[in-house]
Amino acid sequence: MTRRGRGTVARLEALEGREAARREEVQARTWAQLEAARAQLAPGDAAAYRDALGILEEGGDAGGVLSRLQVACAHLGEGLPVAHPAKEDAEAWAELALSGPDGAPLTPPDPARVPAFVAYFEACGAWCDREAARVPLSPDVHRLARWGGALWRFDAALCAELGRQA
């Protein structure tokens, strides 16, 4: 290899090293933000959150739980019946915040919208709590309602956490 070629390779390797370090830093910051949001959950929500993630991360249909939940909740349709002025914007932010490309930081919400987004996510969590308290519910639907409440409150906590850091 020529001297010029070795110099080009060395520069590329240096760039790759810096990019890898940047990605590791972003990943560490992202995990810290997610953990800070999770730490804000009440103990019951934290347990339901871990349960939901355990089933979802397991892949497939973990013992048929997801299939049973789909059947039991078919009457709900898409989304929750929670009316709130920030609903569309809050859901769009949540989708954007957590679905960036690898190596991208979590997207913080507009600081002016944080209170409205948190209020919407909390309202969704409260709706799930009401569903969990309804009688009669199958154990699967009760479990889903607990998951829903925990996941919505996690979204609220993450929104508040990222809003503070923005």
Side-chain angles (χ1 to χ4, degrees):
M1 183 178 292
T2 67
R3 185 174 174 178
R4 182 174 172 178
R6 283 191 302 273
T8 300
V9 169
R11 285 192 299 278
L12 286 174
E13 287 173 348
L15 284 172
E16 287 174 350
R18 285 195 297 271
E19 176 61 13
R22 185 197 65 80
R23 284 178 178 261
E24 286 178 19
E25 179 184 326
V26 167
Q27 185 178 25
R29 186 177 40 213
T30 296
W31 280 112
Q33 291 166 328
L34 293 171
E35 182 56 30
R38 193 200 56 75
Q40 294 177 40
L41 296 176
D45 281 341
Y49 178 82
R50 283 190 307 275
D51 182 36
L53 288 185
I55 294 294
L56 296 173
E57 288 176 353
E58 204 171 286
D61 190 4
V65 171
L66 298 178
S67 295
R68 291 192 313 272
L69 289 174
Q70 203 169 30
V71 170
C73 298
H75 67 284
L76 294 176
E78 288 295 316
L80 297 182
V82 174
H84 194 279
K87 178 177 183 162
E88 288 182 21
D89 291 343
E91 288 179 354
W93 168 78
E95 181 67 28
L96 173 70
L98 297 173
S99 63
D102 281 347
L106 296 175
T107 305
D110 174 355
R113 301 298 312 271
V114 169
F117 289 5
V118 168
Y120 168 68
F121 296 138
E122 291 287 350
C124 290
W127 182 88
C128 291
D129 292 343
R130 288 189 300 277
E131 285 298 297
R134 281 187 27 186
V135 178
L137 286 178
S138 73
D140 286 336
V141 175
H142 185 75
R143 186 178 189 187
L144 178 64
R146 287 193 331 266
W147 288 359
L151 294 170
W152 283 111
R153 280 186 281 280
F154 174 80
D155 283 351
L158 182 61
C159 181
E161 182 67 28
L162 294 174
R164 276 191 292 279
Q165 296 177 11

